[in-house]
Amino acid sequence: MFAARTAFTALPKSIARSSNISGVVGNISARAFAASAGQSEVVLVGCGAPNRGMGWYHAVQMLEGRCPSASLDYIIEPCDLPEPKQPRCALISGRTADNPRLFSECIKAKCSTIFLEKPGAPTVAELQAMKDEAEAAGVGVLMGYNKNVCKYVRKTREFAETVPGSHVTFVSNNAYENTPESLGECFERNAEGMLKNMAIHELALLVSFYDVTVENIESVTADKEFSSMQTLPGPSGKEFTDFDKIKFTIKTKTGKVVSVAADRCGGTDSYATVTDANGEEVFRYWMPDDEDKATVQKLQAQYPTAMPYFFTQDPDYVTVKERVAKFTATGEEAEGVATIGIAVETLRVAEYLTPTLMDQLK
């Protein structure tokens, strides 16, 4: 079972090791750490390391009051949580391998909603079992697939609908150094593999908006000129094989065609393109766009050692958390937020594509 600490006592110890978040610690001292009516009582499961863990950045955003329907009241580790005073939402942002156990414990702790970070579980079988457990308990489960609510995805899809014979490509970049040491560390820390980790967001878009399921895939073709797969030792000395970059096109049996490209060393920004029936690019939209770049620069100055992708996706993290918290507190539909059903199919697609694409690149 869980041991609970209030955010007031636990969070400074877990995130204030970085001198760059003194402003957040200041906010902590002014908060009551008790959800009010109309808020969800958020339990963060898995804060992670300052400036690196996704849980840490979720905590920062809630402590700064940017998700008004979310009150971060607990960071938990092994003991019991008290009875909830308001509808309770667990935000699980720990290691993927720990999620099935943490998920069950959150249900036992009377969480009415669980916000589960991607990919949710190491395997399809485990995630399906979690889905079944939540349904039996009457617990809603929503996923941290923030790109489902991204501005650049919405604008790209809207533009593509106006172009006859259009083709959409989603491009995801990270900013790892292109060295064996950097990529080896990345491969080991994200041992589930790129398609279950970095590119899982794009696969969720394909499942959500392009009718992609394992059964509906007619063909998948790797772009061998773009793609690269390496076997590298991680910090432990153990070797890991994964894509450092991959591009592929999926054609469905229902006639849809869509492409994804992902590059571990491609930079900090992601984007999507639309080409016309002649293959000419007619639209490109970036994340962040010009409107959001000022926010990115401000956050980079505030948290200079944090992971760069936190900042480019900052407004979308806020949107997803606020919609999930409001759903927990009021029952209002979390519009656009992926369900655990979408997550199960996304993970199925990832497990299908990984060996298929690796075989094509050998």
Side-chain angles (χ1 to χ4, degrees):
M1 289 294 292
F2 288 126
R5 295 181 179 179
T6 65
F8 181 79
T9 58
L11 202 53
K13 295 178 182 177
S14 48
I15 69 175
R17 291 195 294 267
S18 166
S19 62
N20 300 316
I21 67 162
S22 58
V24 177
V25 175
N27 289 344
I28 289 172
S29 64
R31 295 188 69 242
F33 300 102
S36 304
Q39 287 186 307
S40 66
E41 177 185 285
V42 177
V43 178
L44 177 60
V45 186
C47 184
N51 297 304
R52 294 189 68 81
M54 189 65 248
W56 170 83
Y57 199 65
H58 283 311
V60 166
Q61 289 185 323
M62 288 185 284
L63 289 171
E64 290 178 341
R66 297 179 61 197
C67 305
S69 297
S71 174
L72 178 56
D73 290 356
Y74 299 97
I75 297 247
I76 56 175
E77 48 189 63
C79 193
D80 289 335
L81 279 166
E83 288 290 315
K85 297 179 176 63
Q86 299 291 342
R88 176 174 287 169
C89 174
L91 196 167
I92 301 179
S93 189
R95 293 183 182 274
T96 301
D98 296 332
N99 283 357
R101 172 182 59 82
L102 297 173
F103 189 88
S104 294
E105 294 183 6
C106 286
I107 290 175
K108 292 175 184 176
K110 299 185 178 180
C111 296
S112 57
T113 303
I114 295 176
F115 177 7
L116 186 61
E117 268 295 354
K118 53 84 179 170
T123 67
V124 171
E126 289 170 294
L127 192 58
Q128 181 64 52
M130 292 158 67
K131 178 177 181 290
D132 294 342
E133 180 182 6
E135 288 177 352
V139 172
V141 184
L142 296 165
M143 303 298 299
Y145 284 120
N146 59 288
K147 289 187 179 180
N148 277 40
V149 302
C150 276
K151 186 194 309 183
Y152 85 102
V153 171
R154 173 174 52 82
K155 287 186 175 291
T156 300
R157 292 176 57 229
E158 289 173 351
F159 188 90
E161 290 176 358
T162 70
V163 180
S166 64
H167 181 95
V168 171
T169 300
F170 294 106
V171 180
S172 177
N173 289 313
N174 275 172
Y176 291 93
E177 294 181 33
N178 193 4
T179 65
E181 294 76 19
S182 178
L183 287 171
E185 187 277 333
C186 172
F187 286 8
E188 181 166 342
R189 183 162 44 85
N190 303 293
E192 61 267 31
M194 180 188 270
L195 294 186
K196 285 188 176 182
N197 180 263
M198 174 184 170
I200 197 79
H201 285 283
E202 282 64 40
L203 297 187
L205 295 176
L206 305 195
V207 171
S208 298
F209 305 123
Y210 293 90
D211 298 337
V212 172
T213 66
V214 171
E215 289 77 16
N216 197 34
I217 293 175
E218 179 178 299
S219 66
V220 55
T221 305
D223 182 333
K224 296 181 180 180
E225 185 175 348
F226 177 93
S227 303
S228 172
M229 181 174 68
Q230 299 189 53
T231 299
L232 297 170
S236 68
K238 182 180 177 181
E239 290 191 334
F240 296 83
T241 299
D242 198 4
F243 310 107
D244 54 285
K245 57 180 181 176
I246 185 70
K247 184 177 181 181
F248 57 90
T249 298
I250 289 178
K251 180 184 292 186
T252 71
K253 295 174 183 177
T254 50
K256 294 191 176 181
V257 183
V258 63
S259 298
V260 169
D263 187 345
R264 291 284 193 190
C265 307
T268 59
D269 299 344
S270 296
Y271 62 92
T273 65
V274 179
T275 54
D276 62 19
N278 297 319
E280 296 293 323
E281 184 177 314
V282 293
F283 182 86
R284 177 178 294 214
Y285 205 95
W286 290 86
M287 180 187 72
D289 61 9
D290 291 339
E291 183 182 359
D292 294 331
K293 283 181 180 178
T295 299
V296 171
Q297 292 171 356
K298 177 182 176 182
L299 290 167
Q300 285 173 333
Q302 190 172 0
Y303 306 109
T305 61
M307 299 299 283
Y309 67 84
F310 290 164
F311 310 138
T312 57
Q313 302 179 57
D314 174 85
D316 309 307
Y317 294 143
V318 170
T319 297
V320 172
K321 279 197 294 293
E322 173 58 17
R323 290 181 186 179
V324 172
K326 184 169 283 190
F327 167 77
T328 304
T330 69
E332 180 178 321
E333 180 184 357
E335 182 182 357
V337 180
T339 64
I340 193 171
I342 292 290
V344 169
E345 189 55 46
T346 299
L347 201 54
R348 290 186 70 224
V349 170
E351 290 190 355
Y352 171 81
L353 290 179
T354 297
T356 301
L357 292 168
M358 284 185 168
D359 285 344
Q360 292 184 24
L361 296 183
K362 288 179 179 176

